[in-house]
Amino acid sequence: QIQPVASGGDSVQAGGSLRLSCTVGEFTSDDCGATWYRQAAGKQREWVSHINSHGRAVYTESVKSRFFASLDRAKGTVYLQMNSLKPEDTGLYFCAYISNSECTNEHWSQGTQVTVTS
């Protein structure tokens, strides 16, 4: 049973940085990477970033050049480094680890809260 655990959320001032972690445990040999999402209060869930099993990441436009995803296969963990944080980055952040090569088996973490104050 794969159950990712997200952590690292906190309250920071605008301009600050946070690093979120998504601990999966042991990655599967043919996984599809992991995706980060966020959801602000009263808004729909938003896709933030996807990193594939080779470590190549893509980002939503609003976080490009500020957020950086990475993974450590030895530690079974996916990271999201968030720099130059803005109040609009506030939300509950989730990771979804995708354990098969068809990219159909998603395993979701609980959320970790990020609050950015101005």
Side-chain angles (χ1 to χ4, degrees), residues 64-81:
K64 280 183 181 178
S65 301
R66 299 190 299 120
F67 288 16
F68 301 94
S70 61
L71 57 83
D72 186 332
R73 299 193 75 87
K75 294 183 178 180
T77 302
V78 182
Y79 301 99
L80 185 66
Q81 177 67 42

Side-chain angles (χ1 to χ4, degrees), residues 20 35-49 60 62-63 67 80 82 87-95 108-116:
L20 304 184
T35 304
W36 287 97
Y37 297 89
R38 65 187 179 189
Q39 187 166 20
K43 296 187 177 181
Q44 289 191 330
R45 187 176 63 202
E46 175 188 22
W47 174 86
V48 176
S49 174
T60 192
S62 64
V63 308
F67 288 16
L80 185 66
M82 307 187 296
E88 50 264 43
D89 295 318
T90 294
L92 197 59
Y93 282 69
F94 303 85
C95 67
W108 285 78
S109 72
Q110 88 296 357
T112 185
Q113 179 67 38
V114 172
T115 302
V116 185

Side-chain angles (χ1 to χ4, degrees), residues 16-66:
S17 297
L18 284 174
R19 188 177 79 160
L20 304 184
S21 299
C22 177
T23 302
V24 177
E26 186 171 348
F27 290 164
T28 58
S29 60
D30 58 351
D31 66 41
C32 203
T35 304
W36 287 97
Y37 297 89
R38 65 187 179 189
Q39 187 166 20
K43 296 187 177 181
Q44 289 191 330
R45 187 176 63 202
E46 175 188 22
W47 174 86
V48 176
S49 174
H50 177 78
I51 183 166
N52 69 16
S53 59
H54 303 291
R56 181 167 293 181
V58 290
Y59 305 91
T60 192
E61 192 65 35
S62 64
V63 308
K64 280 183 181 178
S65 301
R66 299 190 299 120

